Amino acid sequence: MRVGIDLVLVSRIAESIATFGDRFVARVFTAGERAYAESSPELAPARFAARFAAKEAVKKALRLDGVDWRAIEVVREPDGAPAIVLHGALTHHGAVAVSLSHEGDHATAVAIAGVI
């Protein structure tokens, strides 16, 4: 089992979206992640930041480098809990558990790989 953690400034993600717009969002987030984040405009920067942190935490837990950001997707379980779906070549890595949080200008995520 391996653990990854990441902390992101919400303002940094908001700045990237303001500067690069759809080019940044489309490169990093899946259509489902975008739909969820953008469903609440006032929460969108924090939701994007938490998902960015989750992707980084998963990359650390799986010891990945140079993977397509969209190959790691944060989805919501029916009860609202976040979950990770790995796509493409990453599917062989097995299960990854994740927890997200955001407060003020900070968003964080912890990922645990090798969960059965």
Side-chain angles (χ1 to χ4, degrees):
M1 204 173 323
R2 292 186 299 243
V3 176
I5 186 170
D6 197 60
L7 177 67
V8 174
L9 290 175
V10 174
S11 58
R12 181 175 158 246
I13 297 300
E15 182 180 314
S16 293
I17 293 169
T19 302
F20 302 106
D22 192 56
R23 191 173 71 182
F24 170 75
V25 174
R27 183 173 63 90
V28 177
F29 302 101
T30 66
E33 290 168 327
R34 292 179 68 175
Y36 174 69
E38 293 169 349
S39 70
S40 180
E42 66 278 358
L43 295 176
R47 288 178 172 180
F48 278 128
R51 278 145 187 79
F52 188 91
K55 291 168 185 273
E56 285 284 1
V58 170
K59 288 171 63 175
K60 291 173 183 176
L62 295 177
R63 298 181 182 149
L64 299 173
D65 193 28
V67 300
D68 183 343
W69 289 102
R70 293 162 300 172
I72 302 167
E73 183 175 17
V74 180
V75 298
R76 296 186 68 201
E77 297 286 350
D79 66 358
I84 296 295
V85 175
L86 300 174
H87 299 284
L90 299 185
T91 57
H92 74 277
H93 283 283
V96 178
V98 69
S99 182
L100 312 177
S101 186
H102 50 82
E103 177 66 36
D105 196 34
H106 295 91
T108 191
V110 175
I112 301 173
V115 178
I116 296 175

